[in-house]
């Protein structure tokens, strides 16, 4: 990597706590333009917290996150599906138009140009005819396609995806990974949380293994090793051990490991 290449996003000794329990400890990471990075790790390891911290949704206990731009529109974020309320009375077009609002400002009218962009995005995600459908009628895969179309209109430089392929069918994954790769080729910085080791090994050149602290970080083939995965599991186990003191919980954890 060349010396003068500045990261688009940089964590310097970041620590984050919820109430009194540490979620992330002393995290230092750099992300570059056009990079495709996966975040892996045990449940509760701080993956979602890391993405939220980039958006400023959780306060830092200490350290610093440097961003090439602090404009709201420059970061696109897809939360875990479990965090999204789909009962809201919106159509597919409404949701995608919201991406345009983030790019252009909320008080700009949706004009013909935006409508053309919405249609193009719908075609790109394989939902050409679905614009007027209500959100709650979509399958998990279709809904994720809609969120990707929204992200296209937002046109952000940094794209954060939290477990985008959990509960999504194989065809959708294949279509959406193509879009993610295109985003990286366009010079955007992509960070994706995933539990699927094989998927990460196939598509992501860089990875971070996170278990409250960074266990490993760099080229995926050096990060996903048995030794590192064991260490991540051990760290999360020790952490749970110190958080659950009652005998019943301890017994359960011991049997589980
Ligand atoms: P992951 O996404 O890797 O499963 P999270 O970032 O969601 O992990 O959570 C990291 C830790 O922080 C967990 O112990 C979780 O219980 C805790 N945590 C997450 N969100 C909150 C919150 N809003 N309030 C209190 N604790 C939280
Ligand atoms: Mg999570």
């Amino acid at each position: 990597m060349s010396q003068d290449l500045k990261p688009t996003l940089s964590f310097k000794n970041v620590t984050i706590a919820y109430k009194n329990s540490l979620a992330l400890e002393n995290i230092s990471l750099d992300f570059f333009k056009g990079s495709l990075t996966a975040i892996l790790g045990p449940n509760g390891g701080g993956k979602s917290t890391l993405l939220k911290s980039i958006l400023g949704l959780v306060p830092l206990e200490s350290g610093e996150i440097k961003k090439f731009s602090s404009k709201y529109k420059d970061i696109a974020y897809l939360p875990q599906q479990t965090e999204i309320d789909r009962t809201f009375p919106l159509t597919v077009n409404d949701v995608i138009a919201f991406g345009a609002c983030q790019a252009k400002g909320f008080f700009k009218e949706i004009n013909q140009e935006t409508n053309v962009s919405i249609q193009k995005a719908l075609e790109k995600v394989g939902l050409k005819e679905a614009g007027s459908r209500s959100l709650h009628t979509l399958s998990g895969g279709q809904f994720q396609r809609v969120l990707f179309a929204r992200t296209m209109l937002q046109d952000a430089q940094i794209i954060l995806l939290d477990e985008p392929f959990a509960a999504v069918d194989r065809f959708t994954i294949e279509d959406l990974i193509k879009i993610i790769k295109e985003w990286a080729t366009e010079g955007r910085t992509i960070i994706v949380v995933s539990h699927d080791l094989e998927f990460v090994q196939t598509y992501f050149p860089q990875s971070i293994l996170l278990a409250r602290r960074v266990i490993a970080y760099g080229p995926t083939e050096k990060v996903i090793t048995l030794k590192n995965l064991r260490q991540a599991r051990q760290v999360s186990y020790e952490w749970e051990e110190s958080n659950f003191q009652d005998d019943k919980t301890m017994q359960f954890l011991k049997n589980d490991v």
Side-chain angles (χ1 to χ4, degrees), residues 42-49 52 80 82-83 162-163 193 195:
N43 279 335
K47 302 179 296 298
S48 296
T49 300
K52 287 175 185 169
Q80 280 179 254
T82 47
E83 294 188 18
D162 201 344
E163 298 192 32
V193 173
H195 280 296

Side-chain angles (χ1 to χ4, degrees), residues 11 18 26 31 35 43 82 105 115 127 133 141 158 174 180 189 216 227:
F11 280 66
Y18 292 107
N26 205 21
F31 298 92
S35 63
N43 279 335
T82 47
N115 282 327
L127 289 177
R133 279 180 64 178
I158 297 175
E174 281 169 17
I180 293 179
T189 307
K227 183 168 165 270

Side-chain angles (χ1 to χ4, degrees), residues 46-229:
K47 302 179 296 298
S48 296
T49 300
L50 189 125
L51 296 193
K52 287 175 185 169
S53 72
I54 297 169
L55 292 150
L57 295 176
V58 290
L60 309 188
E61 187 86 5
S62 59
E64 189 186 2
I65 300 173
K66 287 187 176 165
K67 289 172 253 184
F68 83 103
S69 158
S70 56
K71 283 188 226 142
Y72 176 58
K73 68 167 191 174
D74 280 331
I75 306 179
Y77 168 57
L78 258 67
Q80 280 179 254
Q81 285 222 19
T82 47
E83 294 188 18
I84 304 174
D85 178 8
R86 275 217 273 152
T87 57
F88 224 72
L90 290 172
T91 66
V92 167
N93 280 335
D94 294 334
V95 174
I96 302 175
F98 185 68
C101 293
Q102 283 170 303
K104 294 179 178 173
F106 281 92
F107 302 106
K108 291 261 160 61
E109 233 177 281
I110 304 264
N111 55 22
Q112 189 50 29
E113 190 192 327
T114 309
N115 282 327
V116 171
S117 307
I118 292 174
Q119 199 50 41
K120 272 193 191 153
L122 274 174
E123 282 173 32
K124 191 127 196 188
V125 298
L127 289 177
K128 199 173 167 189
E129 314 288 341
S132 56
R133 279 180 64 178
S134 296
L135 272 199
H136 71 269
T137 67
L138 305 177
S139 68
Q142 287 170 328
F143 182 56
Q144 203 57 280
R145 288 171 190 264
V146 171
L147 295 181
F148 268 62
R150 185 191 73 181
T151 305
M152 278 175 196
L153 264 81
Q154 192 179 340
D155 194 24
Q157 288 309 305
I158 297 175
I159 300 178
L160 313 174
L161 310 174
D162 201 344
E163 298 192 32
F165 302 129
V168 167
D169 62 280
R170 199 77 228 167
F171 294 116
T172 302
I173 295 175
E174 281 169 17
D175 287 350
L176 297 185
I177 192 72
K178 278 188 206 142
I179 295 172
I180 293 179
K181 279 161 79 178
E182 265 182 54
W183 284 336
T185 311
E186 288 162 4
R188 303 175 205 272
T189 307
I190 320 285
I191 308 174
V192 180
V193 173
S194 175
H195 280 296
D196 186 335
L197 291 185
E198 203 187 313
F199 171 76
V200 171
Q201 283 165 324
T202 311
Y203 297 110
F204 290 80
Q206 283 101 242
S207 297
I208 299 163
L209 184 58
L210 197 65
R212 197 166 51 134
R213 53 187 171 81
V214 175
I215 303 296
Y217 153 51
T220 298
E221 69 272 17
K222 293 198 173 141
V223 170
I224 303 185
T225 64
L226 201 55
K227 183 168 165 270
N228 287 339
L229 294 175

